[in-house]
Every structure is written in structure tokens, then in C-alpha cells.
Amino acid sequence: MKYRQTQLTVGELATGQPLTVPIFEFKGRDSSAPAVFIQANVHGAEVQGNAVIYQLMSMLEQFDILGDIRLLPLANPLGINQKSGEFTLGRFDPITGVNWNREYQAPLIDIPKWVEAHKDLDSASFIQAYRATLIGICEEALDNEWGLSTGKRLALNLQALALDSEIVLDLHTGPKSCKHLYCPEYDINAARYFSIPYTLVMPNEFGGAMDESIFCPWWQLSDYLQSQEINFDIPMSAFTLELGSQEYVDLAEAKIDAKGILAYLSHRGVIKDTVLPEQMPRYACYLKDYKKYHAPLSGLVEYKAPLGRVLPAGGVLANILRLDLYGTEQALTPLSLEHTCVPLLHFASASVHQGTELYKVMTQVFELSYLT
């Protein structure tokens, strides 16, 4: 057995029982190889990432592991247990209403001042000092004298652990979704390794998500050093992998995605064994071109546009059925866009209010070249 299992305490229930997250750790044999942090199921209904971690751990037991790998399935015990009838509601903290994946700590560093104070360090010490500063910010926030919300405490504990690695993968799913990847622009080449057909290319902007909390402070540091004509290769990689639809487990698909993760880890030297990426078409768009389409009226929805396929301009996204308007032309309303797009996900329910975020679609799509 190559791994050891521990747990991370992230809070307490009202009755005093601790909220804990399982941690599986594979110890690498080369301290110079990148360390890896992978978590899944921060949103309660998004369970497929746990299946990917299961398949990944099963494979890792057969590989020569160079870098330390830390895996946290079931990363939000409160959200996972937030049930209503047969549905899991765990996307938002039920106490505050805040999205569980928008609670991470912003990079609050005066970078010019920090660089001036550490400019005499060698490269390795400089990187380690900046990492320690970021972890320290999380630890200080955890000790807030005014206390923390449940979601903030969970996020800070996870973030502090993730910051101690060079590679961070956050495994999610959509409501009804095809696979897609969130990837920072500086690291776009990495998208060619995962077994994921669509990539959203992210700017250097912090919106509260785990991946942004990891790469934004390093990207900001790099931008500042570049402005001072100092070359600096960003030592951190962080991605969000959207692995299909919520409330659904598919072990065969999980194995495909685990192989894609292994291909990336092989490329980065985390495992010694060679794992080649799947040869498949991969497409991308910039995050600014990833558009939300809101329902123009309420009603019952027939979702028509296939996810992960090009929808020509004027093609039908969905039909809205209004039985209260039976006998009129408004009883059935087709919805379409004037732009060619690729729908990636749609709302889970067939009953919607006016203004519901009905679809998310990629526009201005371009192809990522194959690896050679």
C-alpha cells in the first residue's frame, strides 16, 4: 500500500460532532518533483470527481511516484449531506447563501513592498518565502477574532493545504453539462493533456474560486516582476475540471478522466511513467466569450441544443411551453441565439422562472493544436 489516510477537520456541527474531510497521501520519492493537491465534491451534488479520485488512486498504486500527491474526495461534508427529498442542494452555504466555491481568500499582498523586502533571496528561497506568505494569510484569517462562517472556515482550511503544492486540481461538475476545463491563460498548453474537449481560458482576475485563489497571486507577482524587467516563471498550476453532470457517477468516464490527469502528471514529472494524452480535438474560448443565456420568460423547458456540439446561429436552444397560454401563438416559444456557439451546460430543472440562467455557451471558439 503506497498511500496513507488522514483527515482534515474543517468545522463542527451544532451537536458538537466534527466535520472532517478524508485525505489520501501518496508520498513521492523525489523531493524536487512537483507536489499535487486534488479535491472533489466542494459542491454537494457534484459527485463525479470522487469517482475520478477513486480511479486515479487505483492507477497510482501501479506507478512510480516522484512527487507528493494529496487527494481530498468528499471535500465538503456539510454540502454533501444537504439533502431535500431525493436531491442534493449543496451548492450554497444554507446559512449565508454564499456559493461554497466563492469563499476562498483573496491575495492580499502589497507585491512591490514584498518584493523589495525579499529581493536578495535566491530563486528557490524567493518562491518558498512567497508561498509561506500566502499560507500565512490563510492561517491568519482562520484565527479571526470575530469568527468565521462555516463556508469561509472550510475554504480557508482547503486553500491553506492546497497552497503547499505546485499543482492544484479542483474537480466539479455542472448541473447538466459536458466536460470542460477552466485554465489560466499563461498555462494554456496544459489543456492539451487532460481528456477534456473544451477549455475556458481565464484572465488574471480573482472571483473567489479555488483555482483563482491559487494562480492569481503568483500571476500577479509575475506581472509585477515583468514590469521590472525580471523574468519569472510562474511555479504554480491550478485548474478546475468540470466532469459532466451533477448527481451522477460513471466509473467508466471517471477512468478516462483519471488517465487524462495522469497524462498531465506524467508531463510535469510527478510520476516517472510515461502516460500519453488522448489524441482528440480540443477547443477553447476566452472567459469573456463564455456567455450566460437567461430565460426571457417563465414556463416549462424542452432543452433542445445538444451539449458540446456547435449550434449554428438561429438554431433552437430550447422550447418554452406555457399551458396558461394554450390556444395562442405564445403557448410554445422556441428560443435561439443570433450567434454560432457551443452550449456547455444548462439548468437542471425543466421548470423555470423568467431570468433563470438557462444555458452557458462558448462563443468565438478556436481549436487548440495537437501535441506533437
Side-chain angles (χ1 to χ4, degrees):
M1 184 172 67
K2 290 186 176 182
Y3 67 90
R4 73 182 183 104
Q5 184 176 355
T6 57
Q7 62 184 23
L8 174 69
T9 300
V10 295
E12 293 180 354
L13 293 173
T15 48
Q17 289 94 339
L19 289 167
T20 61
V21 175
I23 303 176
F24 294 87
E25 295 180 273
F26 288 77
K27 187 67 177 176
R29 62 179 179 84
D30 183 353
S31 60
S32 66
V36 180
F37 174 96
I38 303 174
Q39 69 176 21
N41 212 177
V42 164
H43 289 141
E46 299 180 9
V47 293
Q48 177 67 2
N50 300 311
V52 173
I53 286 179
Y54 167 78
Q55 296 285 33
L56 184 60
M57 291 195 298
S58 300
M59 296 177 192
L60 284 171
E61 293 204 59
Q62 314 305 317
F63 284 98
D64 186 357
I65 300 172
L66 302 179
D68 295 343
I69 304 174
R70 185 178 282 155
L71 305 108
L72 283 73
L74 308 169
N76 182 359
L78 194 60
I80 293 163
N81 287 289
Q82 191 183 342
K83 305 289 288 188
S84 179
E86 62 187 282
F87 300 104
T88 308
L89 303 179
R91 185 173 183 82
F92 303 97
D93 183 333
I95 300 169
T96 64
V98 178
N99 186 324
W100 293 109
N101 193 35
R102 296 296 183 273
E103 293 271 29
Y104 296 97
Q105 181 66 42
L108 305 173
I109 298 176
D110 183 336
I111 291 179
K113 183 177 179 180
W114 189 94
V115 169
E116 179 63 26
H118 297 83
K119 64 182 180 181
D120 294 329
L121 294 176
D122 62 72
S123 178
S125 299
F126 184 85
I127 289 171
Q128 187 55 41
Y130 195 66
R131 187 189 309 280
T133 298
L134 294 170
I135 294 171
I137 290 171
C138 291
E139 292 174 344
E140 183 177 347
L142 279 166
D143 289 333
N144 189 318
E145 64 174 315
W146 299 102
L148 296 166
S149 69
T150 303
K152 194 69 174 178
R153 182 173 299 278
L154 169 70
L156 285 168
N157 274 289
L158 295 173
Q159 184 179 351
L161 206 58
L163 282 164
D164 201 31
S165 298
E166 284 77 37
I167 298 168
V168 174
L169 307 181
D170 194 11
L171 310 185
H172 286 258
T173 69
K176 298 295 181 182
S177 176
C178 68
K179 296 178 187 178
H180 53 287
L181 173 75
Y182 286 86
C183 176
E185 185 174 0
Y186 72 83
D187 219 358
I188 192 170
N189 186 59
R192 297 174 172 90
Y193 291 89
F194 299 102
S195 301
I196 294 178
Y198 294 103
T199 294
L200 301 171
V201 183
M202 301 178 68
N204 190 6
E205 298 173 1
F206 180 74
M210 167 61 97
D211 56 353
E212 297 161 344
S213 75
I214 303 301
F215 68 68
C216 278
W218 291 95
W219 198 349
Q220 291 167 2
L221 176 63
S222 176
D223 283 350
Y224 173 74
L225 292 173
Q226 291 288 347
S227 75
Q228 303 301 302
E229 299 184 348
I230 300 171
N231 291 324
F232 180 76
D233 293 328
I234 300 173
M236 292 290 294
S237 295
F239 313 97
T240 294
L241 282 65
E242 300 279 354
L243 301 169
S245 301
Q246 65 188 26
E247 299 277 33
Y248 187 73
V249 168
D250 186 325
L251 286 168
E253 285 297 319
K255 192 169 187 178
I256 292 171
D257 292 316
K259 288 180 179 177
I261 292 172
L262 284 171
Y264 178 69
L265 299 185
S266 173
H267 161 67
R268 290 294 305 274
V270 177
I271 57 175
K272 185 176 181 180
D273 312 74
T274 299
V275 179
L276 297 176
E278 183 178 348
Q279 292 298 302
M280 56 184 285
R282 293 175 174 86
Y283 302 91
C285 80
Y286 290 95
L287 193 62
K288 65 181 177 63
D289 296 319
Y290 186 44
K291 304 295 186 181
K292 299 176 182 178
Y293 178 74
H294 297 87
L297 68 162
S298 62
L300 305 177
V301 183
E302 179 188 23
Y303 295 100
K304 297 293 290 183
L307 299 175
R309 297 185 189 176
V310 175
L311 181 69
V316 176
L317 269 176
N319 290 318
I320 299 282
L321 177 63
R322 287 286 296 265
L323 289 172
D324 60 313
L325 299 176
Y326 181 75
T328 73
E329 293 182 355
Q330 289 78 43
L332 187 65
T333 303
L335 304 177
S336 61
L337 296 172
E338 296 179 359
H339 309 275
T340 297
C341 65
V342 178
L344 291 189
L345 60 84
H346 66 67
F347 194 60
S349 175
S351 175
V352 303
H353 298 296
Q354 184 183 44
T356 294
E357 188 179 286
L358 204 61
Y359 271 92
K360 286 187 176 181
V361 304
M362 297 172 68
T363 65
Q364 304 297 320
V365 177
F366 56 91
E367 186 169 5
L368 296 175
S369 60
Y370 283 84
L371 289 164
T372 57

